[in-house]
Structures are given as C-alpha cells and as structure tokens.
Amino acid sequence: MLKDQAMSVVFDGNPPKAMQTSHTHTPQNALSAQELSQEIKSFISGVDTVQGRKLSVREHARCAVRLLRSVPACRGAVLEHLRGVYDEHVSAFLHNLETEGDTSTGVSSNLEDIIQEVHGVLSEFIRLNPRAWAPLVSAWAVDLLGQLSSKHAGRRAAPHSSSLNELLQLWMSCAATRSLMEAYSQCLAAMLAWCPDACVDALLDTSVQHSPHFDWVVAHIGSAFPGTIISRVLACGLKDFCSHGSKDQGLGVVGGDKGSRVPKIGSVVGILGHLAAHHSDSIRRELLRMFQESLSPSGPLSPSSSASSWESSPQLRRAAVPFLLQLAALSPNLLGAVSAELVELLRPPVLLQLQALLQGLPREELDNMLGLAVHLISQSPAGGARVLRFLADTATPASVIISGPTPSPHEGVREACDRLLQMLLLHLHKLVYNRSDGGEGNSHHSASSQPQRVIPFLEELQTHVGELCAETLRLERKRHLWLHQLLCLLSVYGGPSVATEALCQLLTQARNPEELALAWQLHTPLSTCLPGLIPAAVSRCVAQIHTHTLGPRQLRQLLLNLAAAIQSQDEERRGSACAQSSMAIQLGSAVSGHLHDFCPLLLHGDPAVSHAAVRLLSSSPLPRTSSPAHLLQLSRAAVTHFFVALRRRGEGGKVGRDRGQVGEAVSCSVLLLSHLAAYSPLTLKAVLQQLVEGALHKGNTDLFGGQIADMAGDPPLSPSLSPDLGASLLDINCRFGTTVNFSGSVWSVFHAGVIGKGLKVRAPRPLSDPVEVIQNIQTLLAVTVQCCSSSALNGSINGSRHPPPDPDEPPPINAEAAKVVAVTLVENICPDVANGELSWPPEEHARTTVERDIHIRRCFEAHPVLFPLLHVVAAGRPALCYCSAVLRGLLATLLAHWEASREASATDSPWHLQASCLLVSCMGEGQLLPPVLGNVHEAFPYLTPFEVRLLLLAVWEYVRGNGPMPQKFVFSSEKGLFCRDFSRDGDVARYVAPIHSVLHKNIDRLGHLCWRFQL
C-alpha cells in the first residue's frame, strides 16, 4: 500500500495547485532528476539502489525526509512511513526507562535527530503555506498521538491513564510525542483564523477512539488554547449531535451514515472535564453563551463569523438546548457549573423565547426533554434551592414574576413549569422509595442494611429545611402543596435527623391552626417509616431552648403550638378519632417527659413566653413516673409563676393592657397547680407549702392587702419620721429585742418608742385597690381549695371510697391537705411553737407568752389573707387543731385589748371586732366550739368591749376544758367528713351562762338572735 501511494503521488500528471506552490524556495542542495529517481526507488523498495543493501531504519528515515523536502507531493506516503519511525523512537524511549538506561546506546539516540529534522521540515511547510499543510499535518499528528498513546499505554513505564499530570510529564519528555504535540499546536494556531473546525474535529475523533489514553493530549492543547478549544469543541459537538443524535432526539436535520459513526459528545464531555480544573469560568461562560445565542433571533452574520458558524443554522440553533441538556446529563461537573447562573438567566423574556423555540417540537420530544430536565434537576449538585424557588415561583398561579405582553405566553410558561414540578416530585418519589431496590413499605428497613443512592438535589436541600418550612407555611395556593410533598420526601430521604428538624421547624414557625395542621400532615406519612419521630422532635425543641437559639417570639410561638397540639386530645375524647388527635397523644406523652426542661420558662422575663409556658404545662399530662427533684422544681416554678401572674394581672388592669391574656395566664396557673397537687402526696405538700409561704412573703403581701413587717412583726418605721441616729448604742439597743428572744420566761422586752422621741410611728400603709385585693384573695383561696379537694386525694379516705354527698357540691377538703396548710401557717406565723402545743392553759397563763402572742397578732394585722386561709383549714376538719397555738395567741391579745378598751361600743375598734368575729367563726367551722358558742360572734357588733371580753372568755374556758385534740373527731361515712360529737364533752350549759346573761341585758338589740343560742 505504501508503494502504491508513493507511485500515485509521484506520477500524478495533475498535482493540486497547493502542492505546486507549497515549496516556493529552491534548496541549496537540490537533487537532480536522476538522484531524485534513485531516492524514490530506495524509499519504495527499502534497498540502497547504488550499493544494493537494505536500508537501516535511520537511513530509510533520512531518505523519507529528503523526499519530503524535494517532492512535497510525496507527503502522504512519507508521513505514513514516518509513523513507524516515531513508533520506533517511542518504543526505545520507554524501553530505556524500563531498563533504567542499561540500553542507552539503542535506537533513541540515533533517531532523535531524525525526529528533529522531520519536525523542522513540517514546521517550515506549515509556516510557508498553512492552508495546504496545516490540515494534513494536524490530522496526521493527532492521529499518530492517539495511536502511540493507546499502543504503549500498557507499558510498565507508562503511568495509569487517571494520573494525567504524570502521563503528560512522561510524553512531553519524549522527543517524538513532543514533536507531534508542537506540530499540532502550530497547525491549530494557523487554522484558528479560517478553519478551526477541521482541527478540532480531528481532535474529537481521536479522543473518541483512543480515550482515556489520549486525555493528556486534550489537556495540553486545551491549556494552550482554552478559549478556542472550548468554543470549537462545543460547536463541533453540537454539529455531531445534530447529525448523529437526530435519530434519538427526533430532530430532522442533516443525515449521514449515523450507524457507522461514534457520537462525539462523550469526547466533548471528557475534554471539557479536563479543562474544568483550570478554566471552569471560561467553560461556564461559553455554555451560557451557547444557550443565550440559541434563543436569540438569528440575524446577519458579522464579518468575523465564518460560514460554518452554528449560530447561522436554524437547525443547529434548535438543537442547542437538547445538546446542552445531554451534555449536562453526561457531566455532573458541567451541570454544577452552569445550574446556578442558568436560573438567573431564566427571566420572563428568556422564558418566552424558550417557549417559542420548543413550541414546534413534537410531544414525544418535549416529553423526553422534560424527563431529561427532571433528571438533571435531581442530580444537580448545587443550586437546588434556587432551582426549586424558581420553579415554584413560576408555576404558582398567582405569580407576578412573569409578565408578558399577553396572558397566553405567561400561562403557557406557568403550565410548563407546573408540569415540570409535578414530574420532578414524581421522579424524586421514585428515587426516594426505590433507592434501595425495595418497595415503599420496607424502605426504612432496607435503608439501614444497604447503601443508599445519593440524590444530589435532596442532599443540597437538607441544608435549607428551615427555609423550605417557612415557604410551606405561607399557604399560597398550590405552592404549599408542592413544597409540603417535597418536605415529606426530603424527610424520608434524610432520615430521622431531617424529619425531626422539619417537624420541629413547622412546630416553631406555625402561626395559626391552619399552618399547624401541616405538621400533622407531615407526621402522618412519616410515622409509618420513621417511628419515634414525635419524641425526637420534642427533644430537638428542648435542645433549642437550652441553647437559646430561639428568640422570645419564636419561643412563645413554639410553646403555644405545642399547647394547641396537646389540647386537641379533647377531640379524641369526644369521639372524633383522627391522625391529629393520635399525634396529640404522642406529643403530650413526649412533652410530659420534659416538664423539668419547660418549667424554667415559667419564670421567663418575657410575659408572653411565661404565659405560653404555663399554657403548655397546664394542658400537658404529667408523667407516670418522675424524680422528686424534678417534681419539686416544677412545683416551685409553678407557684412562683402564680404570684407573678397575679401581679401582672393587676398591672395590666392599671395600664389598660389586654386583661384577657393576663387573666388566662392566671387561670392556666391555677389549673397547673391543681394538676400538680393531684399528682402525688409529695407535690401536694410542696404546692400547698409554697402557696402559703408565697402569700406571706414580703414581696407578695401587697397583692393581698397586707404590709411588710420586720422580723419582730412590727411594721416598718416611716423614713421621714425616724431620724438617722447613725451607728450608736441607742440604735443597737432599739434592735436588741430582735436578736435576743425572751419568750417562755418571765422577762419580756418591748420597744414602744425612744425616750425623748415619743412612740414609734408606723409607716403609712400603701393603699391597694380593694377590688384587686379581693380578686387576688379569691384566686388564692380557689387554687388552695382545688389543691386540697383534688379527686386523687378524696378518692379514698380511711381505705374506702366514698362519693360526695351531692354531685352539685364541690368535693370536700381533704384533712391531710388541710393539715399541711395548718402546719405551714403555724411555721410561718410563729416558728418557735412546738408541734405538741395543742391544749390551752388557763387564761392567766397567757402572761408568759405575751411577746409571742403580740407577734401573732401583728402577723394577722399585716396579712389579711390569714383569716381566709384559716377558714380553709377549718373546712378540712380536724386540721384546725394543729393551729391551736396561733388561735390561742390571737385570742389572748384580743382578750387583753377588750379588757383594756374604754370605748362605748365594740364597733369603735373595727379591726379587733373583725378579728374576734372571724376567729370565733373559724373555730366554730372547725368544730373546736359547739354551735351555741360558735355563733356568739354574731352578737359582737351590738355589744360593749367588756361584754365581748366576757363572751370570748367563755370561749377560752370551753376550749381549755375541752382541748382541741384530733382524736375527738370521727369520720362520718355519710358525709365523707370528720365530725366531732360534742355530747361526749360534758355539759355545755355552764359555758353558756355568760352568753344568756348578755342576751338578757341587751334583749332590745339581741332579741332576734336568741334562737341561735338555744342548747
């Protein structure tokens, strides 16, 4: 074949014109016709015609070079022969590397000068006549590079094809391949101005044939001519795609022998992939330029444009978009490079142009393109959130992003995006539930046993769960349905962590019941494949609270949403069982396990947050088991919040704020305290103790109309009336009674004033709103009664169960609960009282406890709420017996007052009259007195101080003779209460004689009360 090619070139009668003018200069050592004939014969036969011996490789190569210089028409045969020479040099070069230079005297050194000589000749020809030589030499060089790279790829000295840098370093150190690379680069530089496509076509064809061993050539050429290679590679790839890919894409364009060709798009992807490492910006700009040029209307070619430019062909312009889609599908790197900026380009005018371009395509082709677009979106490694926002904005019916001159194009674009979004959701659904080659039902089980298929679109969206939830909660027509479905798929794909975050975000950001319902709708499909989602979501919410990642407004909304969710359990109790109520039960159970985490929020500085917290805790069920520390912490926080809520209610009324909200906070606080009291005896005791102590605390006394007293029970002195005596002995002596306790002895120290200064002046009592005080006292009594009469306590008394006597009446106060209140009152009013001081001594004995009695009286003066609390204790008989010391001390001071009073009527001492009436009434309610003595307080307003003392003295004598012992009370199964049988206490008549004497003396005023004192 070599001989035929050579002879056809030499003896051709009409050589091309280019061949005649390709070598215009005359060499200095030009061969004669005879010598030229001998050279041709020697080249064809491979034998020296003069000496008759076979030519060596070196000699044969020099003969070919001489022919190439003298007879350029022989270039085809000569270049074909030189392939073997280059291959021989490469083989020797690699052999020397493999043997580490032991055969350095081989072929390589003998042929290197030949390689240089051939390179010089070809370079001269290309420089003098590029149009004739550059296409031929470029095709020969690149094809030979491909053959050499593939043939010697398996040699031991050759690195692996994936090691591109090492491979490039190896081949560029070889003279033969370096010469070929330089020749091709010279040809490409010469052909850029007039015919770059031919050179790039040869590069693409070779890349397809010899990849991946040819990749080092592409990397080197691309680095040397990045702009040209990128643009021309894309153009050539588009032309090949349009012709070769028309069978697949349905684009009726130029035909050809498609079956015998290999598509070049794979080579295009490989070349661009190699160039992306250092020229990603250029690749991105060129891809976006091709997209924009394919949509813009075709115009007249510019003077610099060539006739073969793809922009001038309507068929190529129409195939550009499918070509770019196919290119992106084959290369994730190219897809990631252009996806973000491509979305920014899709403005309304561009969308209308794209719609106009694709309108003429058949339905099948459009479906294929949409399917490919959906695949690309799902595999997009970056910009997924931006793509999703674009599709949702464009597909939303009420969107204002697209505004064309007429509504029809806008509607068409919207429908296309709607369809694309629906196909994307369906495709993602298939990927998510079939990614483990399993069905939907066992996707979660298989997810833990098999490696999962990565979905880049969902992978990127996992970092935008919060934004996705916020967009879903906007409830914009179809938009929130799409996003909610995507959120569900993302939760299944991401597993428990993403699903927990999504549910937590919905619970945090929802602002109304409609938005909150989206959380239930998300939980319903996830509950089948992700068990334990609700507890995990609550734990995540608690973690956000602990880390302070939520602002006050978000925290308040989260607590309100949790409370609203738990309160929906009432629907299930009413018979409307649904997924929402089922989730509410799980949510209530999960929240109950974190009550100790939520209880600090009751004391949050923001009133809205504390209100939301008490609403949540009051509606949440209490856990079945909990540590005592957590229960006491919750009880303490709940009681503290109760008093804070009372104060805020008063302040809200003064400044005119919403009284409904602060009133609801008080109601929720009362409900929470009643739940805690009914939980266990421990919480009952803690709540009642802290309620009583809080009501008597100096920071809360003003809520109940009281005033702050000092340690001795004295109200504070007025600052303006007590001079500053400095650090003096007199000042220390004035406080001596507060540091030394003389109670129980015959000595008592009183400081009624300072010598020379007069009596101590009490500070003016701050005026409280009577209505507010009454309301606060009623609220305190209500919560105390509810705690003392909890059904859990009254369900069993003395080991048996007894229903209340009347369903319409409130349940009775439990005796043990009332005892807790009684003991707490005694401890706070008079801490030094012993628990065994139940019996009463003679009235004269009160002189030994006068200081303690005065302290008790001052406590009652400073705290008006004490009498209502005593009435609560009296209702829980026999708990009032444990207040015996307090009752005795108060009664002793009242007897002393009435004895010393010289007023005409008892009404002239209003507080003492009221205290006497309340004291006797309380003792009668607690059955420390028989009814005939328990009613004497009704006559007090009509009597003189002396007569009041007589009646109170009769009360004292009765209690002294019939001690207030709890053992005297017997439980009545009919009433469900403890009652006292006064018939066992002896004759009561001797205690009633003073009462009858007073009645007879004041018959004109007390005649209507005589029936109250009948035995």
Side-chain angles (χ1 to χ4, degrees):
M1 183 183 70
L2 180 63
K3 184 183 297 185
D4 295 339
Q5 290 181 353
M7 294 301 296
S8 65
V9 172
V10 173
F11 299 104
D12 191 355
N14 287 315
K17 182 178 180 180
M19 305 304 169
Q20 298 174 0
T21 60
S22 62
H23 197 61
T24 56
H25 71 286
T26 303
Q28 295 179 358
N29 52 354
L31 299 177
S32 63
Q34 183 179 359
E35 293 175 340
L36 185 62
S37 176
Q38 292 178 354
E39 290 289 345
I40 294 175
K41 291 180 181 179
S42 298
F43 173 74
I44 295 175
S45 61
V47 178
D48 188 352
T49 55
V50 178
Q51 300 180 2
R53 60 180 177 83
K54 185 177 180 181
L55 297 175
S56 65
V57 176
R58 177 183 174 84
E59 293 172 343
H60 203 170
R62 284 199 174 276
C63 178
V65 172
R66 288 194 295 270
L67 282 180
L68 186 62
R69 288 182 178 273
S70 304
V71 187
C74 298
R75 58 184 178 180
V78 171
L79 292 178
E80 186 68 24
H81 174 75
L82 291 178
R83 288 177 181 265
V85 177
Y86 276 74
D87 180 60
E88 185 74 17
H89 180 271
V90 170
S91 298
F93 172 77
L94 295 177
H95 180 73
N96 290 338
L97 292 180
E98 293 170 353
T99 57
E100 298 181 356
D102 292 342
T103 57
S104 57
T105 59
V107 184
S108 177
S109 60
N110 294 333
L111 294 181
E112 188 168 352
D113 57 341
I114 301 297
I115 298 296
Q116 295 178 355
E117 187 176 355
V118 171
H119 177 71
V121 172
L122 293 178
S123 177
E124 183 71 11
F125 285 165
I126 295 171
R127 183 181 64 82
L128 296 176
N129 195 348
R131 289 185 177 269
W133 286 94
L136 178 65
V137 174
S138 65
W140 171 78
V142 75
D143 183 62
L144 182 55
L145 282 172
Q147 290 182 0
L148 294 176
S149 300
S150 298
K151 178 179 179 181
H152 300 284
R155 297 289 292 268
R156 182 163 54 90
H160 193 269
S161 58
S162 60
S163 304
L164 195 60
N165 293 330
E166 298 179 6
L167 202 62
L168 181 62
Q169 183 178 3
L170 170 71
W171 290 122
M172 292 304 291
S173 64
C174 178
T177 52
R178 183 174 65 250
S179 171
L180 292 174
M181 184 68 74
E182 293 174 356
Y184 179 80
S185 299
Q186 184 180 3
C187 294
L188 180 59
M191 297 172 64
L192 287 180
W194 50 275
C195 185
D197 289 351
C199 197
V200 175
D201 271 337
L203 183 67
L204 291 179
D205 290 337
T206 308
S207 178
V208 171
Q209 184 176 1
H210 297 287
S211 182
H213 312 296
F214 189 71
D215 292 347
W216 69 273
V217 179
V218 177
H220 182 77
I221 297 299
S223 301
F225 306 92
T228 301
I229 288 297
I230 292 172
S231 59
R232 301 319 306 173
V233 162
L234 286 175
C236 293
L238 174 62
K239 293 178 182 179
D240 182 78
F241 174 81
C242 193
S243 59
H244 186 78
S246 61
K247 181 178 180 181
D248 298 330
Q249 298 294 331
L251 302 174
V253 289
V254 182
D257 53 342
K258 311 178 188 62
S260 61
R261 298 181 54 217
V262 179
K264 298 179 181 179
I265 191 169
S267 181
V268 172
V269 171
I271 293 175
L272 297 181
H274 291 308
L275 298 179
H278 301 286
H279 305 282
S280 58
D281 293 339
S282 301
I283 294 175
R284 182 175 62 254
R285 287 194 299 269
E286 193 62 33
L287 291 173
L288 295 176
R289 187 192 68 81
M290 175 173 280
F291 174 74
Q292 291 175 308
E293 291 293 335
S294 67
L295 298 181
S296 60
S298 59
L301 292 176
S302 61
S304 60
S305 300
S306 62
S308 61
S309 177
W310 68 270
E311 292 91 340
S312 60
S313 173
Q315 296 172 338
L316 294 179
R317 294 164 65 90
R318 187 174 60 180
V321 173
F323 168 70
L324 292 176
L325 289 176
Q326 190 68 30
L327 198 65
L330 295 176
S331 174
N333 295 331
L334 298 180
L335 175 61
V338 301
S339 59
E341 293 190 17
L342 182 61
V343 175
E344 298 296 331
L345 290 178
L346 296 178
R347 299 300 180 186
V350 177
L351 289 174
L352 295 178
Q353 294 175 358
L354 184 60
Q355 182 193 16
L357 178 68
L358 302 179
Q359 274 182 345
L361 296 180
R363 181 60 177 261
E364 183 179 357
E365 297 179 17
L366 285 177
D367 292 342
N368 293 338
M369 288 185 61
L370 285 178
L372 184 57
V374 166
H375 171 75
L376 291 179
I377 294 174
S378 65
Q379 299 301 319
S380 176
R386 190 177 302 178
V387 173
L388 177 63
R389 187 179 301 109
F390 162 75
L391 292 176
D393 291 340
T394 310
T396 303
S399 175
V400 294
I401 296 178
I402 301 178
S403 57
T406 58
S408 53
H410 174 272
E411 185 65 22
V413 172
R414 187 199 67 77
E415 292 179 355
C417 286
D418 188 346
R419 183 183 176 195
L420 183 62
L421 195 54
Q422 295 284 0
M423 292 177 63
L424 175 63
L425 292 175
L426 180 60
H427 181 66
L428 292 176
H429 187 277
K430 294 179 180 179
L431 291 178
V432 167
Y433 285 100
N434 297 326
R435 56 181 178 152
S436 298
D437 298 329
E440 179 176 350
N442 60 353
S443 60
H444 177 71
H445 175 72
S446 58
S448 60
S449 58
Q450 299 183 13
Q452 304 297 339
R453 181 191 308 171
V454 177
I455 305 175
F457 179 74
L458 296 181
E459 286 286 340
E460 201 240 345
L461 284 184
Q462 290 185 18
T463 59
H464 300 275
V465 174
E467 302 172 10
L468 191 59
C469 292
E471 290 292 326
T472 305
L473 292 174
R474 292 170 60 183
L475 299 178
E476 292 183 356
R477 302 183 71 173
K478 291 183 177 181
R479 183 191 187 96
H480 80 280
L481 299 177
W482 298 326
L483 297 181
H484 191 272
Q485 184 179 356
L486 180 62
L487 195 62
C488 181
L489 294 175
L490 184 62
S491 301
V492 176
Y493 174 80
S497 60
V498 177
T500 299
E501 182 182 359
L503 190 58
C504 182
Q505 290 287 348
L506 291 178
L507 290 174
T508 304
Q509 300 183 27
R511 297 179 297 273
N512 51 59
E514 290 77 14
E515 296 179 0
L516 187 59
L518 294 178
W520 319 144
Q521 297 172 13
L522 177 66
H523 173 261
T524 300
L526 296 181
S527 59
T528 58
C529 57
L530 296 175
L533 184 57
I534 295 296
V538 174
S539 299
R540 186 180 183 88
C541 294
V542 171
Q544 290 183 346
I545 294 174
H546 287 323
T547 55
H548 303 283
T549 55
L550 299 178
R553 181 175 300 180
Q554 293 177 317
L555 181 56
R556 168 186 174 273
Q557 194 62 56
L558 170 63
L559 298 176
L560 290 178
N561 289 337
L562 290 176
I566 296 175
Q567 289 171 353
S568 63
Q569 297 183 54
D570 296 337
E571 298 182 4
E572 184 171 354
R573 296 191 184 101
R574 290 193 292 265
S576 58
C578 58
Q580 178 175 346
S581 58
S582 175
M583 178 183 176
I585 296 175
Q586 300 181 42
L587 190 61
S589 176
V591 170
S592 66
H594 293 276
L595 292 184
H596 60 282
D597 296 308
F598 289 105
C599 71
L601 300 178
L602 293 173
L603 309 180
H604 197 276
D606 192 339
V609 175
S610 62
H611 173 215
V614 72
R615 184 174 177 183
L616 170 62
L617 295 179
S618 64
S619 59
S620 173
L622 297 176
R624 293 185 177 180
T625 58
S626 183
S627 65
H630 290 165
L631 293 176
L632 294 177
Q633 178 186 7
L634 179 58
S635 302
R636 188 179 303 109
V639 172
T640 305
H641 176 271
F642 170 74
F643 292 107
V644 173
L646 291 181
R647 186 170 300 280
R648 287 173 179 167
R649 183 174 64 179
E651 295 174 353
K654 293 177 181 178
V655 299
R657 291 184 300 185
D658 185 13
R659 295 185 62 87
Q661 182 176 358
V662 293
E664 182 186 3
V666 174
S667 301
C668 293
S669 185
V670 171
L671 183 60
L672 174 59
L673 291 175
S674 62
H675 287 172
L676 288 174
Y679 180 72
S680 68
L682 173 66
T683 54
L684 170 68
K685 183 177 181 180
V687 168
L688 291 177
Q689 283 182 342
Q690 293 162 18
L691 277 176
V692 175
E693 292 173 356
L696 302 180
H697 190 271
K698 61 181 181 180
N700 300 324
T701 53
D702 59 319
L703 294 175
F704 308 101
Q707 55 183 343
I708 302 175
D710 59 16
M711 292 178 63
D714 295 322
L717 292 176
S718 174
S720 61
L721 299 178
S722 59
D724 185 10
L725 301 178
S728 65
L729 181 60
L730 180 60
D731 183 42
I732 298 175
N733 187 38
C734 289
R735 295 194 176 95
F736 190 71
T738 64
T739 57
V740 179
N741 188 6
F742 292 97
S743 60
S745 67
V746 296
W747 301 99
S748 295
V749 179
F750 301 97
H751 292 289
V754 180
I755 298 175
K757 301 296 182 181
L759 296 174
K760 291 189 294 185
V761 181
R762 295 186 179 182
R765 183 176 179 178
L767 298 178
S768 302
D769 185 6
V771 177
E772 179 184 344
V773 170
I774 294 174
Q775 186 181 17
N776 290 339
I777 292 178
Q778 290 177 346
T779 305
L780 177 64
L781 294 180
V783 67
T784 306
V785 170
Q786 287 188 26
C787 294
C788 293
S789 59
S790 301
S791 59
L793 297 171
N794 291 309
S796 61
I797 302 177
N798 289 349
S800 58
R801 185 174 300 270
H802 301 278
D806 189 350
D808 296 333
E809 294 182 1
I813 293 179
N814 180 265
E816 290 297 326
K819 178 182 177 181
V820 173
V821 178
V823 173
T824 307
L825 283 174
V826 173
E827 291 177 352
N828 284 269
I829 296 174
C830 192
D832 60 343
V833 172
N835 293 331
E837 296 186 28
L838 299 184
S839 60
W840 285 36
E843 190 266 338
E844 296 81 3
H845 185 71
R847 299 172 185 175
T848 60
T849 58
V850 62
E851 183 180 0
R852 187 180 72 181
D853 297 343
I854 293 176
H855 172 78
I856 293 174
R857 189 207 64 192
R858 286 174 176 173
C859 285
F860 276 87
E861 288 179 346
H863 301 284
V865 74
L866 286 176
F867 281 113
L869 291 176
L870 280 179
H871 276 282
V872 175
V873 175
R877 296 188 292 266
L880 193 61
C881 297
Y882 300 96
C883 294
S884 177
V886 174
L887 299 177
R888 185 178 70 236
L890 179 59
L891 184 54
T893 58
L894 292 176
L895 286 172
H897 170 77
W898 295 121
E899 182 180 9
S901 177
R902 296 299 181 263
E903 302 294 341
S905 174
T907 55
D908 294 330
S909 300
W911 186 87
H912 295 84
L913 175 62
Q914 181 186 18
S916 300
C917 295
L918 292 176
L919 177 60
V920 175
S921 173
C922 181
M923 296 175 68
E925 175 69 21
Q927 291 190 352
L928 300 186
L929 298 175
V932 65
L933 290 176
N935 297 331
V936 295
H937 66 281
E938 299 178 11
F940 287 169
Y942 307 98
L943 304 178
T944 63
F946 176 75
E947 294 171 336
V948 173
R949 180 182 181 277
L950 288 178
L951 299 184
L952 290 179
L953 193 57
V955 170
W956 181 289
E957 291 298 327
Y958 178 83
V959 179
R960 186 180 70 86
N962 303 276
M965 300 298 175
Q967 295 82 357
K968 296 184 178 182
F969 290 80
V970 179
F971 181 74
S972 174
S973 59
E974 297 179 357
K975 299 180 180 180
L977 296 173
F978 284 91
C979 298
R980 180 176 178 179
D981 186 6
F982 290 99
S983 62
R984 298 181 180 180
D985 295 337
D987 186 15
V988 187
R990 63 191 185 95
Y991 304 104
V992 183
I995 301 177
H996 290 168
S997 176
V998 173
L999 286 176
H1000 293 162
K1001 183 179 179 181
N1002 302 281
I1003 194 63
D1004 55 335
R1005 290 176 295 171
L1006 301 179
H1008 63 288
L1009 296 178
C1010 291
W1011 68 276
R1012 299 283 288 169
F1013 305 102
Q1014 299 294 327
L1015 293 177

